[in-house]
Amino acid sequence: MPLDETPQLVLITFEDSVNDVHNKVFEMLFNSSSRTNPNGCEIRATFFISHEWTDYSLVQNLYADGHEIASHTIS
């Protein structure tokens, strides 16, 4: 595949809790109309969620917005 036709990927991931403090940053990053993929699709991330300090209603909102949710183990 020629270099100019090779897709370029940037993976965005976040780790640990999702709460009001972090959610403000997520809203700033993902609710901006100026941040889109070259094909016009909005950017999305994968969230690796830990149980402690997480607000699961915010996690549900992230999932509903199209983000991928993954889980840390609880020990």
Side-chain angles (χ1 to χ4, degrees):
M1 180 179 288
L3 184 59
D4 63 339
E5 294 179 18
T6 303
Q8 301 295 307
L9 301 174
V10 175
L11 303 176
I12 303 171
T13 64
F14 295 94
E15 186 173 326
D16 292 327
S17 63
V18 173
N19 54 45
D20 287 334
V21 174
H22 303 120
N23 198 54
K24 292 175 186 175
V25 174
F26 303 148
E27 287 177 354
M28 182 179 58
L29 287 173
F30 299 113
N31 293 340
S32 171
S33 61
S34 64
R35 292 187 178 97
T36 59
N37 288 302
N39 64 358
C41 292
E42 298 174 346
I43 61 172
R44 294 291 176 241
T46 300
F47 290 84
F48 292 89
I49 306 297
S50 63
H51 177 67
E52 190 172 28
W53 308 110
T54 291
D55 180 339
Y56 286 97
S57 65
L58 296 175
V59 175
Q60 288 178 321
N61 292 341
L62 289 168
Y63 180 76
D65 287 343
H67 299 283
E68 185 174 35
I69 306 300
S71 177
H72 280 277
T73 58
I74 299 173
S75 56

